[in-house]
Amino acid sequence: MFKEAKQPVTSRRRWLKRRERWLVVMGVVLHAVYMLSIFDIYFKSPIVHGMDPVKPRFTAPAKRLVLLVADESRPGHVSIIAGFYEDPSAVTKGWKANPVEFDSVFNQSRHTFAFGSPDIVPIFCGALQHSTWDSYPHEFEDFATDASFLDMWSLDQFQSLLNRSSEDLKLKELLLQDNLVIFLHLLGCDSNGHAHRPYSSIYLNNVKVVDHIAERVNNLLEEYFKDNRTAYIFTADHGMSDKGSHGDGHRSNTDTPLVVWGAGVQYPQPQSSSNHSDCGFRFIDEHVHDMPTPDEWGLHEIERVDVNQADITPLMSTLLGLPCPVNSVGSLPLDYINMIKEDEVEAVLANTKQILNQFLQKSYIKQSNSLYFKPFKPLTHYSSLLERIEGLISARDYEAAIDLSQNLRTLALEGLHYFQTYDWLMLMTVVTLGYVGWMIYLVLHVLQSYTSLPGIFFRKEQAVQRNYPGKVYLYGCMLMGMLCILLMLEHSPPLYHAYTIMTAFLWMQIFSECQFLKALWKHLSGRRLNYVLKLLATASFSVLLLEFLVNSFTERRLYTWCFLIVGVIASLYLFKSIPWRSGIPLFVCIACWFLSVFTLMPAEIPDNNQLVIASGAIIIIIGVAARWLDVHAGRNKYWQSICNHQLKKPKFPMLFHLQALLVGISSVMVSLSTSHRTQKQELLASHQLINWFLAGSSMLLPLLSESSLLSRLTSIFLGFSPSFLLLSIGYEAVFYAALALVLMAWILFENTVCYLKKVKKSPAFIKNVADHITLGDDNRCLELSDVRIPLIFLVLFNIAFFGTGNFASIASFEISSVYRFITIFNPFLMAALLIFKLFIPFMLVICAFSAITKLNQVPRLGCYFLVILFSDVMTIHFFFLVRNTGSWMEIGNSISHFGIVSAQVVFVLLLFALTNIYTKDIHCDSAVRSSWKAI
């Protein structure tokens, strides 16, 4: 009977491979396309072209303006200089180039002089003809040194410019003209804050350097021009935490200094309850910060005026009498300017007209492209409001004119938001239907390809109406054609067509399986009630667990409770099933409880060099214990399937010792490399070379290890340890060891389950095994209970990511993690090293997952599709949780959450392919295979 079934099985496998290639390709394309949808829904570029600048109708109070900014990152500078919140498409160019050209204060100036970082100055001046600028080489940005010299470099360049003007008459003539901007970018505080922390002596000295630069620039210009027509603005693009990080929503990172003085600037006002500027003021992130001014500043009696970052742009434009950049959404802060009321109202009106012009342009573009246009009703009569403002100005009722102008500006900003979100409902509906369709189609594939459902019955049903799928495809193509024509008539972007076509195609595939669905319904209707209840209970538990995982993305401590409870339940189950002398129940409980501790740790990992070094010793001890078990516990029936019980002489008997030695050397290099940093010394090139060699060579050694399950997994664990240790700064190194213990506990649990099935097998069980092994490669069909494998995988996959607060590490630009490999600022290489650090725990989890699929004799690709199915349940949830307001970390995390789970169709598949290099020849004697041999 088995030989007769061999040919159909081979044919089925060929059909399955062809279909799954197509399914994987479709899944990759679908998730790539739908992932881009958030940029059309939540992060569509705010930039529109075609507006004319609004020329101011007032006299400029200043001839020139000096902008001093203490930092490095592009988004804040775009807000300060261009007046809008970063164009998300800039991410595609690493925030080093402008994917879409935009207007700025520099563009509107007569001439701009700029000196500073090569990552910032060229963005705004590189293509600007009327500019004089220079930047230092990237090699100067060495985090191992005191970066305050970078700030002095900018000052020296500016001072040299003024000195040259005494001999260069054209330069002197240029400097004496009006509408000039001088921009000095001061990177030192940011670099020193990251590398040495804000309360270090190096950072505090850098603060003094910045103060000196501000004073020196002020004195130089006042002595040079002697006309009191220079305005000065000092600010920063972000704050910094005590640890030297930034990016999250804490006010220490989002509240930045803004000090304005000079020509056209209002004098400080005494603080009182009537003029408190924070009353009713809300920042762009929709929070009322009201951060108290430190007492040691001696300014507690002075009124502080808070603004949004983009508000600095119209402030600079007003002080210079320039048209405000056409894409600015900043509101002019009147409390900062000292002008007569007539000029004040003209400045506010110019700011209002500039924002209103953006609204009108967006309204015109949308109306000209829409078959059914819905206008923004509050501004349908904007022209009458403008006429009323002009009338109030003519009547010299300036206060009323200012109030009405500010109200009109608020309505214009609301209108910009309206058209920015105009297509949200349509796009979110289409994309959601697409995800749901993909999930249904994936379920159908798994049921048809990896389960023991009565396939012959389904084929008979389909043969009765074999023309039905053809009709579905015909009608589906007609529908897609009609939708594309409608989108073309509305001049919709190409991606709109892609979203619609993908969704329609998926549902067309589902309807083509109508006969299978009918047969499936008949099959389920004929089963007993307890089976249906079991199915519903499994589905409900799966959804609850996935919702738990969704919440764990923002609340890591949930994993603590998860592993505490799982440790107890799993150990009790094992204790009832196998003797306690095996040690397995106790080991599972201790491993789970040990891992539960780490999600109580702070997300921003504290530096602890001694703990990293000690982790190397812990890793070696775990390796030694696993080696001993592999050799001596192989005869134990509970360990037999995973140990090297055949006692063959290994090909490379000294491999384990070599791997343990490399782990030890890595711990030594951690100590040496860190000591140089603490002593403010440059990292030796020889140390860097050794670190790179250790990381690279150690990952190749597992390929030479023995093929028994425990031997290979132990070798993989030791092989990635040097890289992880060298990239660790604190407790995450211990977490690596704890995760490995839990993965071992998972394997032991599954091995016990397999053993119990083997012991308790009955004639019915034997027949069931014989019927189920039809997928080839000794794989059996998936059963309902096998759902636990992808679900446990997802839990461990996520704990591998969040167990050490890795999101915070990336968002906070924690360069300490890469210091042992590189000290020169290189964002792409640094990001690559950080991402590689994240990959290492994933590699362990997927290697364990692959081993378990071999142990249980279930098809790994079938489990992969279940992983993707469960991931997409989370993806839909995260799709609705994406944020486009708040801090950069809050926005970035919401994008990352959605992107990570959405990319798992590719991400997990690539990791499977990569880990398959290590796990493809793993050997284990599973219970299922033993039962098959018995037949």
Side-chain angles (χ1 to χ4, degrees):
M1 184 180 77
F2 180 69
K3 291 182 179 179
E4 293 175 358
K6 188 173 182 180
Q7 189 171 355
V9 168
T10 304
S11 177
R12 175 186 172 87
R13 289 177 61 190
R14 290 175 182 172
W15 168 83
L16 193 59
K17 284 184 178 180
R18 289 196 302 268
R19 180 169 182 175
E20 286 181 338
R21 287 194 198 103
W22 157 246
L23 195 63
V24 168
V25 170
M26 184 171 67
V28 171
V29 173
L30 179 142
H31 285 79
V33 171
Y34 285 168
M35 199 184 300
L36 295 174
S37 68
I38 64 169
F39 293 100
D40 281 322
I41 299 173
Y42 297 100
F43 303 101
K44 191 173 183 180
S45 174
I47 298 175
V48 289
H49 298 287
M51 300 86 67
D52 295 324
V54 178
K55 295 183 178 179
R57 301 184 301 191
F58 58 86
T59 303
K63 288 185 66 175
R64 66 201 68 86
L65 180 138
V66 177
L67 175 62
L68 305 170
V69 182
D71 187 47
E72 66 161 343
S73 48
R74 171 193 169 114
H77 284 85
V78 172
S79 301
I80 294 168
I81 301 169
F84 67 91
Y85 299 100
E86 180 64 292
D87 180 359
S89 57
V91 177
T92 61
K93 294 196 175 183
W95 285 350
K96 291 181 178 293
N98 297 330
V100 179
E101 290 304 321
F102 54 82
D103 196 13
S104 71
V105 174
F106 295 177
N107 293 37
Q108 297 293 342
S109 69
R110 185 184 302 275
H111 199 89
T112 294
F113 302 90
F115 304 99
S117 166
D119 298 318
I120 295 297
V121 173
I123 290 175
F124 299 95
C125 299
L128 195 61
Q129 296 297 322
H130 55 279
S131 67
T132 301
W133 63 276
D134 197 6
S135 61
Y136 41 77
H138 275 287
E139 291 73 23
F140 281 22
E141 300 177 6
D142 190 340
F143 288 99
T145 61
D146 181 356
S148 60
F149 79 96
L150 301 177
D151 299 345
M152 293 303 300
W153 183 95
S154 299
L155 174 64
D156 293 342
Q157 296 299 310
F158 176 63
Q159 189 167 357
S160 175
L161 177 80
L162 294 180
N163 293 337
R164 290 202 312 272
S165 67
S166 60
E167 300 176 357
D168 189 337
L169 297 181
K170 288 185 178 180
L171 177 59
K172 187 175 183 65
E173 182 182 356
L174 180 61
L175 287 169
L176 293 174
Q177 295 185 27
D178 58 359
N179 296 338
L180 298 183
V181 175
I182 298 164
F183 173 46
L184 297 187
H185 177 256
L186 310 176
L187 180 63
C189 283
D190 183 79
S191 296
N192 283 330
H194 284 314
H196 307 291
R197 307 297 183 256
Y199 288 102
S200 65
S201 59
I202 288 181
Y203 182 88
L204 295 176
N205 176 70
N206 204 150
V207 173
K208 295 179 182 179
V209 171
V210 170
D211 286 344
H212 165 73
I213 290 173
E215 180 183 18
R216 183 62 180 154
V217 169
N218 182 91
N219 294 339
L220 282 173
L221 290 175
E222 295 306 315
E223 292 172 5
Y224 188 91
F225 294 106
K226 298 183 176 65
D227 59 0
N228 294 323
R229 295 291 304 280
T230 307
Y232 302 85
I233 293 181
F234 174 87
T235 188
D237 71 335
H238 59 71
M240 186 169 281
S241 70
D242 294 348
K243 186 175 169 55
S245 63
H246 57 78
D248 63 25
H250 193 273
R251 62 189 189 182
S252 66
N253 296 337
T254 57
D255 288 3
T256 57
L258 175 60
V259 184
V260 187
W261 73 97
V265 179
Q266 180 68 271
Y267 287 102
Q269 301 296 309
Q271 186 173 3
S272 66
S273 58
S274 60
N275 69 351
H276 185 48
S277 64
D278 281 334
C279 294
F281 178 80
R282 299 191 75 84
F283 288 89
I284 194 66
D285 60 1
E286 300 180 354
H287 292 90
V288 179
H289 291 210
D290 198 14
M291 188 174 182
T293 302
D295 292 336
E296 57 267 25
W297 290 10
L299 300 174
H300 58 280
E301 296 181 355
I302 301 299
E303 173 64 15
R304 191 187 73 190
V305 182
D306 287 338
V307 302
N308 285 305
Q309 204 164 46
D311 299 342
I312 299 174
T313 295
L315 174 61
M316 292 192 292
S317 298
T318 300
L319 290 173
L320 286 174
L322 297 172
C324 195
V326 294
N327 291 114
S328 171
V329 294
S331 299
L332 175 64
L334 283 176
D335 292 327
Y336 275 90
I337 60 175
N338 182 20
M339 301 167 68
I340 61 174
K341 277 295 178 183
E342 184 177 357
D343 287 348
E344 231 179 64
V345 69
E346 290 291 350
V348 174
L349 182 57
N351 180 212
T352 299
K353 287 181 177 179
Q354 171 263 317
I355 294 175
L356 183 63
N357 284 350
Q358 289 185 77
F359 162 78
L360 294 175
Q361 183 67 6
K362 286 195 172 186
S363 179
Y364 169 76
I365 293 172
K366 181 54 66 175
Q367 185 174 7
S368 60
N369 293 334
S370 298
L371 297 176
Y372 176 67
F373 176 69
K374 294 181 180 179
F376 181 67
K377 294 182 179 179
L379 280 178
T380 51
H381 302 292
Y382 72 92
S383 56
S384 63
L385 293 175
L386 287 174
E387 291 175 2
R388 187 178 169 191
I389 294 170
E390 294 290 354
L392 289 171
I393 293 175
S394 300
R396 297 182 180 276
D397 191 353
Y398 299 131
E399 290 295 339
I402 288 176
D403 290 341
L404 190 55
S405 295
Q406 290 176 333
N407 290 337
L408 179 58
R409 181 178 64 195
T410 301
L411 287 176
L413 289 170
E414 292 175 0
L416 286 176
H417 178 73
Y418 172 80
F419 286 112
Q420 193 73 12
T421 60
Y422 190 86
D423 296 327
W424 275 25
L425 180 60
M426 182 272 290
L427 289 175
M428 294 182 84
T429 301
V430 170
V431 173
T432 302
L433 286 174
Y435 275 119
V436 172
W438 162 256
M439 290 162 59
I440 294 174
Y441 188 61
L442 210 56
V443 170
L444 295 178
H445 170 72
V446 172
L447 291 176
Q448 290 175 326
S449 306
Y450 293 107
T451 65
S452 58
L453 291 174
I456 297 176
F457 173 73
F458 295 144
R459 284 195 293 271
K460 287 181 180 179
E461 289 287 331
Q462 291 172 342
V464 173
Q465 298 184 16
R466 56 182 176 273
N467 294 327
Y468 185 81
K471 293 180 180 179
V472 172
Y473 292 142
L474 176 63
Y475 294 144
C477 290
M478 291 174 62
L479 176 62
M480 284 191 286
M482 292 173 60
L483 292 174
C484 287
I485 291 172
L486 288 174
L487 291 173
M488 288 178 65
L489 292 174
E490 291 201 342
H491 302 280
S492 298
L495 279 176
Y496 283 30
H497 293 259
Y499 307 145
T500 306
I501 291 172
M502 290 294 298
T503 299
F505 177 78
L506 282 168
W507 283 96
M508 183 173 67
Q509 294 293 321
I510 293 170
F511 284 117
S512 69
E513 299 288 349
C514 184
Q515 302 306 315
F516 177 84
L517 291 170
K518 289 180 180 179
L520 179 61
W521 176 254
K522 290 181 181 178
H523 175 73
L524 292 175
S525 301
R527 300 299 295 265
R528 293 181 179 179
L529 179 62
N530 62 344
Y531 177 82
V532 177
L533 291 176
K534 184 179 179 182
L535 183 64
L536 291 175
T538 302
S540 300
F541 176 78
S542 300
V543 172
L544 287 174
L545 182 59
L546 295 173
E547 285 302 303
F548 165 84
L549 292 178
V550 168
N551 286 283
S552 71
F553 273 61
T554 53
E555 185 52 61
R556 296 168 56 240
R557 295 189 177 188
L558 290 174
Y559 286 109
T560 297
W561 291 105
C562 172
F563 281 94
L564 286 174
I565 295 170
V566 167
V568 173
I569 294 175
S571 60
L572 287 177
Y573 172 81
L574 293 172
F575 185 76
K576 290 176 62 178
S577 306
I578 60 177
W580 65 270
R581 291 189 185 88
S582 65
I584 295 176
L586 184 61
F587 173 78
V588 170
C589 184
I590 292 175
C592 290
W593 284 13
F594 184 28
L595 188 65
S596 70
V597 174
F598 291 90
T599 44
L600 297 175
M601 301 286 189
E604 292 186 352
I605 303 170
D607 287 345
N608 193 327
N609 189 48
Q610 289 74 23
L611 190 58
V612 178
I613 296 170
S615 300
I618 295 172
I619 289 169
I620 293 174
I621 291 171
I622 292 174
V624 170
R627 180 72 173 177
W628 183 88
L629 288 170
D630 191 35
V631 175
H632 295 88
R635 297 177 183 178
N636 188 306
K637 56 186 177 182
Y638 302 108
W639 294 79
Q640 189 173 9
S641 298
I642 63 175
C643 292
N644 187 19
H645 59 279
Q646 295 178 357
L647 298 178
K648 291 182 179 179
K649 185 177 180 181
K651 295 181 180 178
F652 302 95
M654 298 302 295
L655 179 63
F656 172 79
H657 302 85
L658 176 60
Q659 289 189 291
L661 177 63
L662 291 181
V663 174
I665 295 175
S666 300
S667 299
V668 174
M669 293 308 301
V670 166
S671 177
L672 290 176
S673 301
T674 308
S675 65
H676 278 75
R677 180 189 175 197
T678 55
Q679 296 170 12
K680 308 299 185 295
Q681 298 177 358
E682 293 186 10
L683 185 63
L684 298 178
S686 58
H687 287 181
Q688 285 181 289
L689 184 62
I690 293 171
N691 292 341
W692 281 103
F693 174 78
L694 287 171
S697 60
S698 62
M699 292 185 293
L700 300 176
L701 295 179
L703 299 174
L704 307 176
S705 64
E706 302 163 56
S707 61
S708 64
L709 189 149
L710 185 57
S711 295
R712 179 57 58 87
L713 292 183
T714 303
S715 184
I716 293 171
F717 167 67
L718 293 174
F720 285 98
S721 296
S723 302
F724 200 80
L725 286 174
L726 291 168
L727 287 167
S728 296
I729 62 171
Y731 71 81
E732 76 270 38
V734 186
F735 168 81
Y736 176 80
L739 178 65
L741 292 176
V742 168
L743 293 175
M744 192 65 240
W746 183 26
I747 292 171
L748 290 174
F749 180 85
E750 293 291 341
N751 185 55
T752 302
V753 171
C754 289
Y755 174 79
L756 292 174
K757 285 183 179 180
K758 177 182 176 181
V759 170
K760 296 179 181 180
K761 69 178 184 290
S762 61
F765 174 81
I766 295 176
K767 183 180 184 300
N768 186 49
V769 172
D771 290 340
H772 284 187
I773 299 184
T774 57
L775 300 179
D777 294 331
D778 288 339
N779 283 340
R780 61 176 175 82
C781 291
L782 288 173
E783 300 172 355
L784 191 59
S785 60
D786 293 325
V787 169
R788 74 181 185 279
I789 297 175
L791 287 175
I792 295 173
F793 168 79
L794 279 175
V795 172
L796 292 171
F797 196 79
N798 281 277
I799 191 67
F801 200 88
F802 290 108
T804 56
N806 288 310
F807 259 131
S809 300
I810 292 180
S812 303
F813 308 105
E814 181 53 74
I815 64 162
S816 303
S817 298
V818 301
Y819 181 83
R820 301 178 187 108
F821 292 93
I822 182 174
T823 59
I824 303 299
F825 182 69
N826 187 328
F828 291 103
L829 180 55
M830 288 176 170
L833 287 170
L834 286 173
I835 292 171
F836 173 68
K837 178 185 176 182
L838 299 184
F839 273 18
I840 294 175
F842 294 154
M843 296 283 284
L844 293 187
V845 174
I846 293 182
C847 285
F849 176 78
S850 300
I852 283 172
T853 57
K854 289 192 174 186
L855 198 63
N856 285 278
Q857 290 298 291
V858 293
R860 190 173 69 157
L861 203 53
C863 290
Y864 160 76
F865 285 125
L866 289 177
V867 168
I868 300 308
L869 171 66
F870 293 141
S871 296
D872 283 336
V873 175
M874 300 166 62
T875 301
I876 293 179
H877 194 141
F878 283 123
F879 177 67
F880 290 97
L881 294 180
V882 174
R883 296 186 55 177
N884 57 6
T885 58
S887 71
W888 276 101
M889 185 174 184
E890 291 166 340
I891 295 171
N893 279 357
S894 70
I895 299 172
S896 300
H897 294 165
F898 170 74
I900 287 170
V901 293
S902 183
Q904 283 189 7
V905 66
V906 179
F907 182 61
V908 176
L909 188 65
L910 290 177
L911 286 177
F912 273 164
L914 187 59
T915 55
N916 192 53
I917 299 173
Y918 295 100
T919 61
K920 62 182 178 181
D921 58 345
I922 283 182
H923 173 76
C924 58
D925 292 328
S926 74
V928 174
R929 181 186 287 123
S930 300
S931 301
W932 170 249
K933 289 177 179 178
I935 295 172

